[in-house]
Amino acid sequence: MRGFGLAARQARAPLARVAARRMSSTPETVYDVVIVGGGPGGYPAAIKAGQLGLKVACIDMRGAPGGTCLNVGCIPSKALLHSSHIYEEAKHGFGPHGISADNVRIELDKLMEHKNKTVTGLTSGIEGLLKKYKVDYIKGKGKVLKAGEVGVTDMDGKDAGVIKTKNIVIATGSVPTPLPPVPIDEEAIVSSTGCLKLAKIPKTMIVIGAGVIGLEMGSVWRRLGAEVTVVEYLDRITPGLDSEIAKTFQRILTKQGMKFKMQTKVVRGERKGEGVSLTVESVKDGKQETLTADIVLVAIGRNAYTNGLGLEEAGVKMGPRGIVEVDERMQTNVPGIWAIGDVIRGAMLAHKAEEEGIAVIENIAGKHGHVNYKAIPGVIYTFPEVANVGMSEDEAKAAGIKYKIGKFPFMANSRARANALTDGLVKFVTEAETDKILGVHIIAHNAGEMIAEGVLGIEYGATAEDIARTCHAHPTMSEAFKEAAMAAYDKPIHF
């Protein structure tokens, strides 16, 4: 329900109550599957179930489908990232092309209006798809009572009855990880949700956490005029990313004007007037200092949202940090209860959840659903973007794999030079003996699109030579992908 006003929730509540009463008042109604959660894992699962002819219901506590991703995550943040990039380009980036513009200004209310229209348009589209495939979409909160039974609480918090079902899929997603010394009020100390709807552009912002969310949202507000400082406990940004790529990425962000305080622990934070005072401590020597900012964004990660779902009471085995334990078919230890997305192991990514949502329904329907976790891409939507799939060089080294590296810089790519977009590179990690692609890593303005070729290569067990001998159009940024593959098994032509 985060991100929606009380009035909106009350307006939707009667619909939820009617739907829930109708289903619970007919004892003969038994669903093939009930999905708890309507996010990027839950709603595709519901659609797939409908396509396969299963009787399906989707219970969504937010009141609008799409989950965190569509409502207060992936989609609104990308709208802000693109809008803020256009503004920065108009103000500072046209120079190489001989274009100048005076009196460039940002109207924050219109920018936010575009973001909000994007979200509402997509959520209504999903509701239409759910209706098309005969999914009973129930607005309310679901709780597992036992295998085969889900209790529903409507949008006003009132009991709306019990739904009977053969299978239950938990797809409730995740929530921001709190930092107890820095309590979030969504005004001056914000989570990613609050950071998406600031009423004015802050003069100063501190981002706690140098991960994907922190760097994306920090980039938005830096472009719009804020002085942004990122405070990170570790000695590097983007933990889990290939270390060479991470170092290059940090250099680019620093050149853009983002500041970093690495190996710095946050001791406490508190409101001071209209701003925030933050006490931080050096990890190396324990020396403390005080930082101040108009806005502090807490972006230290996300936790599975499983509290209050009745899973432990139903006998479902749980892991650390609220994670639901599942097997390779995404089934829990309790027959008939399944789980997908951010509530199970693996990266917390919308597209991973969608793949699992489709696969789990195929398994429920007696088919053979499967997800190749080695071929799940990750993208950071800054400018340039950063994308990766498969193993990093660090992981290959730690695993004792004999590997080769192939790299190609965009400085040597003709299209990148013509477009004045030369920051970044493509990096291949391959198995030395077989030339099989183990991982691909890209920094480029269109890395999120370009990585799909690497995903496909890993999915089909391709070698670097397979990519290198595939014709790529000229002049394109993707030629750098081909040349990096050439560098992995032989030598590139243009570098």
Side-chain angles (χ1 to χ4, degrees):
M1 287 183 282
R2 298 182 307 280
F4 291 86
L6 178 61
R9 294 200 298 271
Q10 289 174 336
R12 296 185 184 108
L15 296 175
R17 288 198 294 272
V18 169
R21 280 202 301 268
R22 183 179 70 246
M23 289 174 232
S24 60
S25 62
T26 53
E28 68 275 10
T29 300
V30 177
Y31 285 90
D32 293 308
V33 58
V34 168
I35 298 157
V36 182
Y43 85 76
I47 289 172
K48 187 64 177 179
Q51 290 174 341
L52 292 178
L54 302 179
K55 185 168 182 58
V56 55
C58 180
I59 306 171
D60 183 16
M61 66 177 284
R62 189 178 293 278
T68 293
C69 175
L70 178 47
N71 289 279
V72 291
C74 315
I75 302 305
S77 67
K78 301 315 165 281
L80 294 185
L81 279 159
H82 186 65
S83 297
S84 63
H85 171 65
I86 293 173
Y87 170 69
E88 186 174 51
E89 279 283 280
K91 197 165 186 178
H92 305 293
F94 290 162
H97 305 285
I99 303 169
S100 61
D102 296 326
N103 302 318
V104 177
R105 61 191 178 91
I106 188 75
E107 295 183 45
L108 189 62
D109 56 340
K110 289 186 178 179
L111 185 152
M112 291 295 180
E113 182 182 352
H114 165 68
K115 177 205 70 172
N116 295 336
K117 282 184 177 179
T118 300
V119 170
T120 54
L122 289 170
T123 55
S124 62
I126 292 171
E127 287 204 51
L129 287 170
L130 293 172
K131 184 177 181 180
K132 175 182 178 180
Y133 291 106
K134 297 180 173 56
V135 176
D136 286 328
Y137 179 56
I138 304 170
K139 298 177 181 181
K141 184 175 181 179
K143 180 178 180 179
V144 178
L145 304 179
K146 63 180 181 179
E149 289 189 2
V150 178
V152 179
T153 303
D154 70 17
M155 299 295 284
D156 287 332
K158 297 177 181 178
D159 180 19
V162 176
I163 299 174
K164 295 185 181 297
T165 179
K166 298 173 186 176
N167 295 278
I168 301 168
V169 176
I170 303 300
T172 46
S174 61
V175 293
T177 302
L179 184 61
V182 189
I184 291 170
D185 60 17
E186 299 295 18
E187 293 177 355
I189 303 174
V190 298
S191 68
S192 56
T193 302
C195 202
L196 289 167
K197 54 182 181 180
L198 298 181
K200 63 180 181 179
I201 300 168
K203 291 182 178 179
T204 54
M205 172 181 280
I206 294 173
V207 176
I208 303 175
V212 174
I213 294 172
L215 297 179
E216 287 187 352
M217 296 312 303
S219 291
V220 166
W221 295 105
R222 181 201 60 74
R223 295 169 189 168
L224 296 178
E227 181 182 297
V228 176
T229 301
V230 179
V231 177
E232 170 58 48
Y233 183 84
L234 301 176
D235 62 355
R236 54 161 293 170
I237 69 170
T238 54
L241 196 66
D242 183 274
S243 58
E244 180 185 18
I245 296 295
K247 288 176 184 176
T248 302
F249 183 34
Q250 185 176 350
R251 284 198 299 269
I252 292 170
L253 293 175
T254 300
K255 184 172 67 173
Q256 292 174 351
M258 192 175 286
K259 299 177 181 178
F260 292 89
K261 289 187 72 68
M262 309 304 292
Q263 292 187 280
T264 301
K265 176 184 177 181
V266 176
V267 178
R268 61 182 174 274
E270 56 185 339
R271 292 285 298 268
K272 285 288 181 71
E274 294 185 359
V276 181
S277 175
L278 206 64
T279 302
V280 299
E281 180 180 290
S282 169
V283 174
K284 290 182 178 180
D285 58 22
K287 183 180 178 180
Q288 291 191 353
E289 63 176 309
T290 299
L291 307 176
T292 58
D294 296 327
I295 297 290
V296 169
L297 166 62
V298 179
I300 60 172
R302 297 183 66 83
N303 289 340
Y305 180 71
T306 51
N307 287 338
L309 295 180
L311 295 175
E312 290 178 317
E313 294 86 342
V316 175
K317 185 179 180 182
M318 306 294 289
R321 297 166 64 94
I323 289 292
V324 181
E325 297 284 352
V326 294
D327 61 19
E328 68 280 358
R329 301 179 70 245
M330 285 154 279
Q331 185 165 243
T332 71
N333 62 303
V334 178
I337 300 181
W338 313 69
I340 61 170
D342 288 2
V343 301
I344 68 171
R345 73 284 185 269
M348 290 185 172
L349 296 168
H351 43 279
K352 166 188 170 282
E354 181 173 353
E355 295 299 314
E356 290 171 338
I358 293 169
V360 75
I361 294 301
E362 290 174 333
N363 288 331
I364 288 171
K367 298 179 182 293
H368 302 285
H370 172 70
V371 177
N372 180 2
Y373 290 101
K374 293 181 180 179
I376 301 292
V379 184
I380 305 173
Y381 295 90
T382 48
F383 193 91
E385 296 175 348
V386 182
N388 69 289
V389 63
M391 298 183 77
S392 66
E393 182 178 359
D394 313 81
E395 290 170 332
K397 188 180 296 182
I401 297 172
K402 293 182 179 180
Y403 65 90
K404 289 184 178 180
I405 298 295
K407 293 185 287 188
F408 192 83
F410 282 100
M411 183 63 75
N413 175 266
S414 58
R415 183 66 182 275
R417 294 287 287 267
N419 292 356
L421 296 171
T422 55
D423 281 338
L425 73 156
V426 180
K427 177 178 180 177
F428 271 68
V429 182
T430 63
E431 190 175 46
E433 184 178 354
T434 65
D435 191 41
K436 184 178 180 180
I437 301 169
L438 300 176
V440 180
H441 310 268
I442 309 172
I443 300 178
H445 84 278
N446 62 339
E449 305 293 339
M450 196 182 299
I451 196 64
E453 186 174 5
V455 176
L456 194 62
I458 289 178
E459 180 67 36
Y460 281 90
T463 65
E465 185 175 0
D466 290 330
I467 300 295
R469 293 190 180 277
T470 300
C471 184
H472 289 62
H474 174 78
T476 60
M477 300 284 284
S478 67
E479 287 178 285
F481 197 92
K482 172 188 174 78
E483 296 252 21
M486 293 175 73
Y489 89 95
D490 190 12
K491 292 182 179 180
I493 297 298
H494 294 96
F495 189 69

